[in-house]
Amino acid sequence: DTGVSQNPRHKITKRGQNVTFRCDPISEHNRLYWYRQTLGQGPEFLTYFQNEAQLEKSRLLSDRFSAERPKGSFSTLEIQRTEQGDSAMYLCASSPYQGGDEQFFGPGTRLTVL
Amino acid sequence: DQQVKQNSPSLSVQEGRISILNCDYTNSMFDYFLWYKKYPAEGPTFLISISSIKDKNEDGRFTVFLNKSAKHLSLHIVPSQPGDSAVYFCAASYTGFQKLVFGTGTRLLVSP
């Protein structure tokens, strides 16, 4: 399967714990995006990378959130000191083109903070 | 502010008939529009897109229409099939914006 993969698919954690998600984009896609989707809403942009450089971060990405893409391949999204409001589906997408063209999404990681 | 709006949360259609899903946008800078389909427990899957230089784009059973003056686009599915039952998201972007802005989605149910 050469699509975008995300791990884990589900994560249940207690409030205050740290969690880390991984995204493996389609190989050779130089752009990687993170989105968050809550119930009844569409995906909301969090951040994106071109190769290893993080070029934009949304205001939704508080100081507790950090994303990395070492060597321009896979990416990780870490949430420190999780809160119940962080419960959501975290989606990763990749694209080989300039922004505005189609993005290919992974299956997402569903986070539940108890 | 909701820059991309899908005002119909759900739509029910019989198999074989046409499904029409609507989307409105407010940001006149948007010049590229996409439709994604999402099944439960899966990520969104790209369906079809349209650039603002066009007013129609077809791909098999799927056609997207763009009315720039009304800031409105629609997705037509003809004929509708039960496998089309999913949540459909409209998304928009513009050159240099580097991200997609999504609507809240419309749940389509196609009954046999």
Side-chain angles (χ1 to χ4, degrees), chain A residues 36-45 91, chain B residues 2 89 102-105:
Chain A
R36 180 172 70 185
Q37 185 178 16
T38 54
L39 197 61
Q41 300 297 316
E44 294 176 289
F45 171 81
L91 293 161
Chain B
Q2 194 73 27
F89 290 99
F102 284 84
T104 52

Side-chain angles (χ1 to χ4, degrees), chain B:
Chain B
D1 62 334
Q2 194 73 27
Q3 298 185 68
V4 178
K5 300 176 184 179
Q6 294 178 257
N7 293 318
S8 298
S10 63
L11 175 68
S12 291
V13 171
Q14 283 194 316
E15 181 177 8
R17 306 294 290 268
I18 184 171
S19 295
I20 300 176
L21 297 96
N22 294 304
C23 177
D24 298 291
Y25 62 96
T26 58
N27 189 337
S28 57
M29 293 186 68
F30 287 145
D31 60 8
Y32 193 75
F33 304 90
L34 309 89
W35 285 94
Y36 282 83
K37 178 169 73 173
K38 188 179 186 300
Y39 294 117
E42 295 183 13
T45 301
F46 170 75
L47 263 181
I48 190 168
S49 62
I50 187 167
S51 165
S52 60
I53 62 174
K54 297 183 176 180
D55 54 17
K56 177 182 174 181
N57 189 28
E58 288 183 78
D59 185 359
R61 297 186 297 115
F62 302 91
T63 303
V64 57
F65 295 91
L66 176 62
N67 183 333
K68 290 184 290 293
S69 61
K71 293 190 177 67
H72 176 84
L73 63 156
S74 60
L75 175 68
H76 293 209
I77 306 174
V78 184
S80 301
Q81 300 173 353
D84 296 329
S85 298
V87 178
Y88 289 77
F89 290 99
C90 171
S93 186
Y94 59 84
T95 303
F97 195 42
Q98 313 303 350
K99 60 191 175 189
L100 298 177
V101 178
F102 284 84
T104 52
T106 296
R107 182 177 301 277
L108 174 65
L109 177 62
V110 181
S111 53

Side-chain angles (χ1 to χ4, degrees), chain A residues 18-58:
Chain A
N18 299 344
V19 294
T20 300
F21 311 140
R22 175 177 171 130
C23 171
D24 287 89
I26 295 172
S27 58
E28 299 180 358
H29 279 193
N30 60 356
R31 294 196 174 220
L32 185 147
Y33 308 80
W34 286 98
Y35 291 81
R36 180 172 70 185
Q37 185 178 16
T38 54
L39 197 61
Q41 300 297 316
E44 294 176 289
F45 171 81
L46 291 178
T47 188
Y48 97 96
F49 293 83
Q50 179 166 332
N51 300 314
E52 66 276 9
Q54 187 175 18
L55 297 184
E56 187 174 348
K57 293 194 292 186
S58 163

Side-chain angles (χ1 to χ4, degrees), chain A residues 4 16 36 55 84 113:
Chain A
V4 178
R36 180 172 70 185
L55 297 184
Q84 288 185 326
V113 182

